[in-house]
Amino acid sequence: PAMRTLQRFQSNNRSRLSAGSFGTVPAGGGGAFLGLGEHSSRAPSVRSLAESGHHLAEPRAMEMYNGHGTLLGHHAGGFDDIDLPSAVKYLIASDPNLQVLGAAYLQHKCYSDSSAKKQARSLQAMPKLVKLFNSPNQEVQRHATGAMRNLIYDNAENKLALVEENGIYELMRTLREPDDELRKNVTGILWNLSSSDNLKDRLARDTLEQLTDLVLVPLSGLGGSGVIQQNPSEAEIFYNSTGFLRNLSSASQQTRQKMRECHGLVDSMIHYVNSSLEVGKSEDKSVENAVCVLRNLSYRLYDEMPPSSLQRLEGHRRNAGGTVTGELVGCFSPQSKKAREHYLNADIVTFTEVSKDPKGMEWLWNPQIVGIYNRLLQRCELNKHTTEAASGALQNITAGDRRWAGVLSRLALEQERILNPVLDRVRTADHHQLRSLTGLIRNLSRHARNKDEMSTKVVSHLIEKLPGSVGDKAPPADVIVNIIAVLNNLVVESPMAARDIVYFDGLRKLFFIKKRRDSSDNEKSSRAAASLLGNMWQYTKLHRDFKMKGYRKEDFLSL
């Protein structure tokens, strides 16, 4: 659309503006469709940066391509007679054609030129463009928002200038327009803005309710038939919006709370993920964004949720000290059959009550969400960011000593049978994925009722990931600490775990880790290994096996 406008403007206004002609230039922003709805190629811009705090890189507006996927060339004489000061002056002209020309030039010039962005700001282009966001002329709106999208890309000063010019308010007004090209630009601008940490709280305050009502609910399928029905433009609008939410959700506790409490926001994310799973679209990039949002909103969930909800989940089991472990039921020890039956019955009562018709933030701790994350782990084969986010969300809701963390852990293990899909991921995981996967297994191992059964499934897989000599490729220290913590949780209650560690050559690796103290990270894993080895020595029946492998009591008990 941007290119067609410039070409038409070229033929209609050539004599009035200059002796030269407009070339078909690379223009940013407005147009994603050319010809009869063919999606243009896109400059490589949106990358998942889940590795660094679950942020996404910001998308800038696009270069324009022709229908054959070839970048349109910049012909001689194209914009030679226009410069930035002239383009900025055109923005306040009375003729909408000149406004389009000025915005299109800015859009093109600021696509990748950081000095042009700085110069445009000094020429007061920002307030002039903001005033055009809600121009009565649709093409002016499209090009003004397209130019702004490029101006703020990777430029913190321009982002702040946009916000200070009341830009968020004007963008949310523009979002109400029934024009998909315009809505793509607006949501792209919001996504770009959300990559600045200092703007996230303000963006959450000023945009969440309207964005949810105008974009998330209708395009997730939540507000209509219940089925996702998106044309390609709407898919991009939804993708931009979920990218925006993904960035916001990694901000402050205040913003996480506001997002959890925003009517329809969590429901939209859940509905979209669920519906995508049902139609085999687990690899979808908007699913990735939505699951990352859910993961981030699950962070510190039990500390930040409403006290009334927490009290309901904790039930009558919590004592004054706030712990569950070590409780006695009458004269029964926590590990006795009677005690386990008592706990199970108490879990079922609360479980049945909480499972009824979840709404809003209740989804984040509802038992049904464990099944959603499990299906993602099983069905999403290619998008590692989605599966990493799903395992991270599970890690969040099973973390800590809260009763409900234990309930959901046992649900995951016993009803969802989640260990097998998690261990499948462990086999091929990169270091970043291993952090959340081993963190999840660590939580599950704390709350598992049957430590023997869990030991037979996990010990060999985890020991395989530990380094055993200087030349071995070692995972990060926090992954090693997680693995050793899992083994320790199992060893203290399961002789089978200790036996399997010996059988799968775990002693050699643990002693290597224990002796390696050449950094603060290695010191942590060394202390963890020493603790585990000390616990293993308590199994006297294994002493003979230890000695056959050349280890003495002092090796196990020395620090």
Side-chain angles (χ1 to χ4, degrees):
M3 198 56 55
R4 288 198 298 272
T5 301
L6 289 174
Q7 289 167 337
R8 187 170 68 250
F9 191 76
Q10 169 187 351
S11 60
N12 292 344
N13 299 279
R14 184 178 296 137
S15 59
R16 179 156 58 97
L17 288 171
S18 71
S21 63
F22 299 120
T24 48
V25 300
F33 283 84
L34 297 168
L36 297 175
E38 181 178 350
H39 202 291
S40 72
S41 301
R42 178 167 184 156
S45 57
V46 184
R47 299 177 303 280
S48 175
L49 295 185
E51 289 80 9
S52 54
H54 318 299
H55 289 249
L56 287 184
E58 42 193 292
R60 63 182 141 183
M62 306 149 208
E63 293 278 17
M64 293 304 296
Y65 289 72
N66 66 20
H68 304 291
T70 309
L71 189 63
L72 292 165
H74 187 186
H75 298 297
F79 272 146
D80 290 349
D81 54 330
I82 306 176
D83 55 15
L84 267 175
S86 303
V88 173
K89 286 180 182 176
Y90 288 159
L91 298 178
I92 54 174
S94 57
D95 185 348
N97 285 324
L98 285 175
Q99 292 174 343
V100 168
L101 176 62
Y105 180 79
L106 282 168
Q107 190 173 337
H108 160 63
K109 192 71 177 171
C110 296
Y111 180 77
S112 57
D113 186 340
S114 56
S115 62
K117 296 177 187 182
K118 184 175 181 180
Q119 185 185 359
R121 183 175 72 253
S122 69
L123 291 168
Q124 298 298 304
M126 308 297 285
K128 295 177 175 63
L129 285 170
V130 169
K131 288 178 182 175
L132 297 180
F133 286 175
N134 288 287
S135 163
N137 184 296
Q138 184 185 65
E139 292 191 54
V140 171
Q141 287 182 291
R142 288 181 176 182
H143 288 83
T145 51
M148 185 64 77
R149 191 170 173 181
N150 283 354
L151 269 164
I152 67 170
Y153 176 77
D154 199 26
N155 190 299
E157 292 83 3
N158 284 357
K159 289 174 186 172
L160 188 60
L162 168 60
V163 171
E164 289 176 345
E165 293 296 337
N166 205 28
I168 298 176
Y169 173 78
E170 293 299 330
L171 286 169
M172 299 318 289
R173 278 184 63 203
T174 311
L175 192 61
R176 296 182 178 276
E177 296 282 340
D179 175 7
D180 283 352
E181 294 299 325
L182 194 55
R183 283 156 63 91
K184 280 192 287 191
N185 276 343
V186 170
T187 52
I189 290 171
L190 290 175
W191 190 355
N192 286 357
L193 288 172
S194 69
S195 66
S196 290
D197 288 337
N198 61 321
L199 298 178
K200 289 179 181 178
D201 288 345
R202 181 167 180 176
L203 285 166
R205 185 191 71 200
D206 294 345
T207 68
L208 283 180
E209 291 179 5
Q210 294 179 75
L211 186 73
T212 301
D213 292 341
L214 295 172
V215 176
L216 301 179
V217 169
L219 294 189
S220 69
L222 184 65
S225 63
V227 179
I228 301 170
Q229 295 176 320
Q230 298 177 350
N231 63 41
S233 286
E234 288 172 333
E236 186 176 334
I237 293 164
F238 190 76
Y239 177 52
N240 290 344
S241 301
T242 54
F244 170 71
L245 293 182
R246 180 173 173 177
N247 279 349
L248 289 194
S249 65
S250 65
S252 64
Q253 175 180 342
Q254 176 187 356
T255 293
R256 285 196 301 274
Q257 293 282 47
K258 192 162 189 65
M259 293 180 72
R260 291 178 190 130
E261 293 166 3
C262 181
H263 181 72
L265 190 154
V266 174
D267 304 84
S268 298
M269 299 296 96
I270 294 286
H271 187 83
Y272 187 81
V273 172
N274 242 336
S275 300
S276 299
L277 281 166
E278 287 172 9
V279 296
K281 287 189 168 183
S282 59
E283 310 290 350
D284 179 86
K285 294 292 286 183
S286 290
V287 169
E288 176 192 323
N289 283 345
V291 180
C292 287
V293 170
L294 295 172
R295 179 212 186 137
N296 289 341
L297 296 186
S298 301
Y299 177 65
R300 296 180 55 84
L301 180 61
Y302 301 120
D303 294 329
E304 297 176 3
M305 68 196 297
S308 58
S309 299
L310 181 62
Q311 188 174 9
R312 182 184 178 200
L313 296 182
E314 293 303 285
H316 62 276
R317 285 183 52 199
R318 299 193 63 78
N319 57 29
T323 62
V324 177
T325 54
E327 286 183 85
L328 296 180
V329 184
C331 58
F332 301 111
S333 73
Q335 294 305 314
S336 73
K337 183 179 179 183
K338 288 284 187 183
R340 288 199 298 269
E341 288 176 356
H342 175 88
Y343 292 164
L344 179 60
N345 291 336
D347 287 353
I348 290 171
V349 170
T350 311
F351 185 90
T352 305
E353 185 183 337
V354 171
S355 296
K356 295 173 185 173
D357 193 24
K359 287 186 174 61
M361 77 170 83
E362 293 172 0
W363 271 108
L364 297 173
W365 61 79
N366 189 274
Q368 295 177 54
I369 204 167
V370 178
I372 295 173
Y373 295 142
N374 190 17
R375 294 206 304 280
L376 285 165
L377 287 175
Q378 293 185 51
R379 299 181 191 177
C380 189
E381 297 292 337
L382 303 175
N383 191 330
K384 67 178 184 179
H385 302 295
T386 300
T387 53
E388 195 273 334
S391 59
L394 284 165
Q395 181 187 1
N396 285 339
I397 62 176
T398 57
D401 293 324
R402 301 286 188 183
R403 174 197 177 196
W404 201 245
V407 170
L408 294 183
S409 295
R410 292 185 285 275
L411 169 73
L413 286 168
E414 297 166 17
Q415 292 187 34
E416 290 293 334
R417 308 283 182 188
I418 207 165
L419 262 187
N420 286 336
V422 168
L423 291 172
D424 283 343
R425 296 288 169 188
V426 167
R427 289 188 193 101
T428 58
D430 59 29
H431 289 169
H432 186 69
Q433 292 169 292
L434 277 176
R435 284 191 175 92
S436 59
L437 289 166
T438 56
L440 169 59
I441 299 171
R442 180 176 181 174
N443 293 343
L444 298 177
S445 69
R446 291 185 63 203
H447 299 294
R449 271 190 265 260
N450 191 331
K451 300 286 201 290
D452 285 343
E453 181 184 4
M454 187 168 183
S455 298
T456 60
K457 292 181 178 179
V458 308
V459 170
S460 62
H461 294 293
L462 296 182
I463 287 177
E464 189 179 331
K465 295 293 178 181
L466 294 177
S469 62
V470 175
D472 286 357
K473 186 177 180 182
D478 51 354
V479 172
I480 293 175
V481 170
N482 277 344
I483 290 173
I484 295 174
V486 173
L487 298 175
N488 205 31
N489 288 339
L490 298 175
V491 161
V492 294
E493 292 185 32
S494 169
M496 293 178 70
R499 183 201 66 189
D500 284 353
I501 289 173
V502 176
Y503 182 80
F504 290 106
D505 197 28
L507 287 179
R508 179 180 63 85
K509 293 187 172 187
L510 289 171
F511 280 113
F512 170 74
I513 294 168
K514 179 181 175 181
K515 292 172 183 174
R516 192 178 56 163
R517 296 180 172 177
D518 53 348
S519 69
S520 59
D521 281 342
N522 286 343
E523 183 71 34
K524 291 176 188 174
S525 52
S526 171
R527 288 198 302 270
S531 176
L532 172 55
L533 288 166
N535 286 331
M536 288 187 66
W537 183 255
Q538 306 308 314
Y539 289 105
T540 54
K541 290 182 180 179
L542 293 175
H543 287 183
R544 184 180 174 189
D545 296 308
F546 299 159
K547 289 172 183 175
M548 286 177 63
K549 290 184 175 288
Y551 300 111
R552 300 169 300 156
K553 179 179 179 180
E554 295 75 26
D555 298 324
F556 283 86
L557 300 182
S558 64
L559 295 177

